[in-house]
Amino acid sequence: MHTESAQSTQQFGENDTRLDRVDDVESLPPQHRQEHESQDHQASPNTDSDEGSLAADHAAVAGRNPVPKGTVVLAATPIGNVLDASARLVALLKDADIVAAEDTRRLYDLANRLGVHVNGKVIAYHDHNEQEKSKRLLDQVEEGACVLVVSDAGMPTINDPGLAIVRRAIERGIPVTCAPGPSAVLDALALSGLPTDRFCYEGFLPRKHAERMQYLRSMQSEQRTMVFYETLHRIDDSMKDLLETFGPNRPMALCRELTKDYEEIRRASIAEVLHSVQENPPRGEMVLVVAGASDDEALAAAPAALPIEDLAVLAIDRALENGLRIKEAIGQVIAEHPLPDGSLPSRKEVYSAVLTLKH
């Protein structure tokens, strides 16, 4: 098994590059503590800004119009290393009219690390309130505001809040754009060494064993590279289920603590990665990248194709029930019953079987 780890060479005084959650108001940056306690979040001028700060460096390359008015902006935040913050993110944090954050304390912690002062109004926008908050936020966008949506780490909507406001903005014809950035999914995929030309992101695996097995069995014929999230509390059980479903020899990569000091990539077969998990349990957030099925594996796992005679019976029934010409009914039936490789059954063979049945 190939294991790769890396430690960041960039340090921030006594703080490392992890974006740890702020546990209480007292631990907020001083310039933001009063705003958080009052729930007003209207920031006062930041007089402690250093001309050589990261914010100043970013601002120099931020562009002339980084904060579009009358627009919802989804912005990716660092997933571990604060140096991954984009110039556009810094400009948006500084000048957006409203910042809708999954965790306001964590937002202020990020802003403090970046040396940027949040001048707009900050509101909590999370899984439990995004439905009710979205309407009012979009009303303000229609009045000309720039609403910035950020999650704790990575891109909003990807296993994070944000989908509600995007859907409602589309319904109302309100502009939505992205400020792209760090992505655990893409980082893990790129580092895995597995094919990247076709892949599917599947989010967190189901919590319960029976549900997880049913879900994984539905993926047995998947030929694209698969990307999953998993937690340290369930990684052992999930690895056992991956082994049972895909076999011991399927290549995979377990990626943990991406972009952080203790980043580690374990590349091996499913059996070898499971053994490493049991011998040396991984900590932190994990992304699992699993190779897709080979042609033979996909064929073996795919549902059996219907015989030509059965397709002919379905076509006759369809024609009688819907008043269709038999050739039209055949076309519909074969389109609904593709072969395991994705191709369609032979129209001529089905038509021939129909003629045989009629005689």
Side-chain angles (χ1 to χ4, degrees), residues 143 202 228 264 297 323 356:
E143 295 169 2
E202 297 294 320
F228 307 97
E264 179 187 20
E297 289 171 331
T356 300

Side-chain angles (χ1 to χ4, degrees), residues 61-93:
V61 294
R64 293 188 177 183
N65 186 29
V67 186
K69 295 297 182 181
T71 303
V72 177
V73 183
L74 308 176
T77 55
I79 61 175
N81 191 327
V82 74
L83 291 177
D84 293 334
S86 69
R88 193 172 171 197
L89 172 64
V90 171
L92 286 161
L93 288 173

Side-chain angles (χ1 to χ4, degrees), residues 11-200:
Q11 300 294 324
F12 295 86
E14 296 180 355
N15 296 322
D16 66 15
T17 57
R18 301 166 191 256
L19 299 181
D20 297 324
R21 184 179 298 276
V22 180
D23 293 323
D24 53 50
V25 174
E26 291 301 315
S27 61
L28 287 175
Q31 65 266 38
H32 292 305
R33 189 179 304 151
Q34 182 177 355
E35 294 95 314
H36 187 277
E37 290 173 343
S38 66
Q39 299 299 311
D40 183 19
H41 294 90
Q42 295 293 336
S44 58
N46 182 1
T47 58
D48 297 327
S49 179
D50 185 350
E51 289 183 358
S53 69
L54 184 59
D57 293 338
H58 277 87
V61 294
R64 293 188 177 183
N65 186 29
V67 186
K69 295 297 182 181
T71 303
V72 177
V73 183
L74 308 176
T77 55
I79 61 175
N81 191 327
V82 74
L83 291 177
D84 293 334
S86 69
R88 193 172 171 197
L89 172 64
V90 171
L92 286 161
L93 288 173
K94 178 177 180 292
D95 292 328
D97 300 298
I98 302 169
V99 181
E102 184 178 8
D103 186 319
T104 57
R105 294 172 299 177
R106 195 157 184 176
L107 168 72
Y108 283 128
D109 183 45
L110 173 61
N112 186 53
R113 289 170 183 266
L114 292 172
V116 63
H117 186 62
V118 181
N119 292 299
K121 181 179 180 180
V122 175
I123 68 165
Y125 183 81
H126 45 71
D127 288 332
H128 303 294
N129 71 1
E130 68 168 327
Q131 296 293 336
E132 63 178 273
K133 292 283 187 180
S134 295
K135 181 181 183 303
R136 176 57 186 150
L137 286 172
L138 292 176
D139 289 342
Q140 292 171 295
V141 174
E142 286 187 327
E143 295 169 2
C146 174
V147 171
L148 172 65
V149 180
V150 294
S151 60
D152 290 346
M155 178 62 73
T157 76
I158 309 300
N159 275 107
D160 280 321
L163 182 58
I165 195 169
V166 171
R167 284 180 169 175
R168 292 187 179 184
I170 293 170
E171 291 171 358
R172 294 170 61 169
I174 294 174
V176 184
T177 190
C178 282
S183 165
V185 173
L186 296 182
D187 285 4
L189 183 67
L191 294 171
S192 71
L194 297 172
T196 61
D197 52 340
R198 298 178 67 230
F199 69 93
C200 56

Side-chain angles (χ1 to χ4, degrees), residues 4-12 14-18 79-82 256-264:
E4 179 179 299
S5 62
Q7 293 199 10
S8 171
T9 58
Q10 177 67 37
Q11 300 294 324
F12 295 86
E14 296 180 355
N15 296 322
D16 66 15
T17 57
R18 301 166 191 256
I79 61 175
N81 191 327
V82 74
R256 58 178 289 269
E257 299 289 83
L258 289 168
T259 78
K260 298 180 182 179
D261 289 347
Y262 300 102
E263 176 180 290
E264 179 187 20

Side-chain angles (χ1 to χ4, degrees), residues 211-239:
E211 295 175 359
R212 190 164 55 243
M213 285 300 300
Q214 179 180 349
Y215 177 75
L216 289 173
R217 282 194 294 268
S218 73
M219 304 288 292
Q220 283 182 314
S221 61
E222 177 58 68
Q223 294 190 275
R224 295 171 295 179
T225 300
M226 297 168 281
V227 184
F228 307 97
Y229 280 165
E230 194 48 282
T231 67
L232 62 92
H233 305 293
R234 297 196 299 268
I235 185 60
D236 185 72
D237 289 339
S238 290
M239 285 301 308

